[in-house]
Amino acid sequence: MLALRLARGSRPLVQLRRLLVAAASAGTGFLLLYVLAGAVARPAGSFPRLLWALVPLAVTVQFAVAVARTDPATRPREGMDGAGLGPVRATLVATVSTAVSCTLGSALALALFLHLRGNLSGLPFDGAGAGLLHAGLPLPVAAALTLLVLTPLAAAAATALCLRPRRPTAPQTVLPWGITVTACGLAVQAYAGRGGAGMPAGWTLTAIGLALAGPGLAYACGTLVQAVRPGAPRLLAGRTLQEEAHRVGPALGVLCAVAAGALTALALRDRGGLLVPLGPLTGPAAALVALCAAATLLTSAVEAGQSRAPGREALLDLGAPAKVLRTAASLRATALVAVCLPLSWGVAQLTSMALTP
């Protein structure tokens, strides 16, 4: 009940972020149901399609966790322990809130899916969706419900794991591990080619490797910004990047993986055709993945801004010009773009060469 009351009384921006999580969960749930209907119609080759559908699930869970981390109810405040909202209770509230948002999205996905199949009230759009969703075949109820609860359960478990009370430790930048996992992913793609379940496994390894390398890349960007006799804006931008590397780094790495995937698709267009693992819904699934990755990075940036708000206020109180803070912010963004664009292009080139027959 406390989680529902806090969710109902939250600010509009917080509510908007939760609605975006519900929308992402609805898109993911619809894709999973689409894959299930395709598996009923054509069981052969359904496993690779299911693996590809797990990619939107993963980015949706990452986005849900990022939104939970920026929730005002999860930030420690003085005196809240006495009101019954300590660290453990705050984690529980965030977990329940995430589960409710994702469950709402899954319910919307089920309603839309059944409506397009004509199971609720007639066939909309002159029955255009009936053939795509295999309306002539029965949908396994147990399997559909199992797929729909995947997103709420995974998002709630990931939120509880990330926000659990623990001792503060020094942030780690696992750049060598990220490079190693990315190289393994590229090797799997080169071995598997464009068919079978090896390609989604290779893409997953590549994305995980870039996510692991993301904090190291952000930390390296901070080092480069403040190299060679830095002034106040460069010094402030570099130190801030280094301190926030563990927050924005994983989301930055995932966005690099998405950009690399888009560049690879463009390259393969001229080298034997594009890959359409989810059929007509490949484009919407790719758009969902890209939007979730970008929203996760923006949400992580909001979290980082919340964490450095006291330092920013202290600098302004000391008389620091607001222009210095704006210049430092632009330097941070420029440094990240200057590093991530070549990285995404390089990974895309290696992937396209590995997948070229």
Side-chain angles (χ1 to χ4, degrees), residues 154-168:
T159 300
L161 182 64
C162 293
L163 298 182
R164 72 188 188 279
R166 58 184 183 273
R167 293 181 179 179

Side-chain angles (χ1 to χ4, degrees), residues 28-40 42-58 143-144 146-148 150-151 196-201 204 276-279 285:
T28 300
F30 190 88
L31 286 172
L32 291 173
L33 291 176
Y34 166 75
V35 171
L36 175 62
V40 173
R42 297 185 300 273
S46 60
F47 183 65
R49 291 194 296 269
L50 178 60
L51 290 181
W52 279 114
L54 294 180
V55 176
L57 172 64
T146 300
L147 291 177
L148 286 176
L150 279 180
T151 304
M199 187 176 177
T204 301
V276 285
L278 296 178

Side-chain angles (χ1 to χ4, degrees), residues 1-67:
M1 291 302 295
L2 178 60
L4 295 178
R5 289 179 180 177
L6 289 175
R8 186 181 60 184
S10 299
R11 294 176 297 176
L13 186 58
V14 177
Q15 297 284 24
L16 176 61
R17 289 198 291 261
R18 290 170 178 162
L19 288 177
L20 290 177
V21 171
S25 177
T28 300
F30 190 88
L31 286 172
L32 291 173
L33 291 176
Y34 166 75
V35 171
L36 175 62
V40 173
R42 297 185 300 273
S46 60
F47 183 65
R49 291 194 296 269
L50 178 60
L51 290 181
W52 279 114
L54 294 180
V55 176
L57 172 64
V59 294
T60 299
V61 170
Q62 186 191 28
F63 178 45
V65 172
V67 169

Side-chain angles (χ1 to χ4, degrees), residues 183-197:
C184 291
L186 293 173
V188 171
Q189 292 182 63
Y191 177 77
R194 301 191 191 185

Side-chain angles (χ1 to χ4, degrees), residues 25-169:
S25 177
T28 300
F30 190 88
L31 286 172
L32 291 173
L33 291 176
Y34 166 75
V35 171
L36 175 62
V40 173
R42 297 185 300 273
S46 60
F47 183 65
R49 291 194 296 269
L50 178 60
L51 290 181
W52 279 114
L54 294 180
V55 176
L57 172 64
V59 294
T60 299
V61 170
Q62 186 191 28
F63 178 45
V65 172
V67 169
R69 292 174 67 94
T70 60
D71 198 311
T74 63
R75 294 200 297 270
R77 290 186 175 89
E78 295 182 0
M80 294 304 292
D81 288 339
L85 194 63
V88 176
R89 192 71 177 274
T91 302
L92 179 62
V93 167
T95 302
V96 173
S97 177
T98 302
V100 169
S101 298
C102 293
T103 302
L104 174 62
S106 296
L108 290 176
L110 179 61
L112 179 61
F113 187 83
L114 295 178
H115 179 58
L116 292 178
R117 280 170 57 98
N119 299 119
L120 296 182
S121 58
L123 286 173
F125 307 112
D126 297 328
L132 178 64
L133 303 180
H134 307 286
L137 298 175
L139 188 69
V141 178
L145 294 178
T146 300
L147 291 177
L148 286 176
V149 300
L150 279 180
T151 304
L153 289 179
T159 300
L161 182 64
C162 293
L163 298 182
R164 72 188 188 279
R166 58 184 183 273
R167 293 181 179 179
T169 58

Side-chain angles (χ1 to χ4, degrees), residues 144-290:
L145 294 178
T146 300
L147 291 177
L148 286 176
V149 300
L150 279 180
T151 304
L153 289 179
T159 300
L161 182 64
C162 293
L163 298 182
R164 72 188 188 279
R166 58 184 183 273
R167 293 181 179 179
T169 58
Q172 302 292 325
T173 53
V174 287
L175 186 58
W177 281 105
I179 295 174
T180 303
V181 176
T182 302
C184 291
L186 293 173
V188 171
Q189 292 182 63
Y191 177 77
R194 301 191 191 185
M199 187 176 177
W203 268 115
T204 301
L205 284 175
T206 302
I208 292 175
L210 290 174
L212 289 175
L217 292 174
Y219 193 91
C221 288
T223 303
L224 292 175
V225 166
Q226 56 184 330
V228 189
R229 301 178 63 181
R234 289 172 53 198
L235 187 62
L236 181 61
R239 294 292 176 84
T240 303
L241 273 176
Q242 291 177 337
E243 291 177 1
E244 296 174 355
H246 65 287
R247 289 190 177 95
V248 302
L252 185 68
V254 172
L255 188 59
C256 288
V258 173
L263 293 174
T264 301
L266 291 177
L268 291 179
R269 183 179 58 184
D270 301 326
R271 302 181 186 179
L274 295 173
L275 179 70
V276 285
L278 296 178
L281 293 189
T282 300
L288 175 62
V289 170

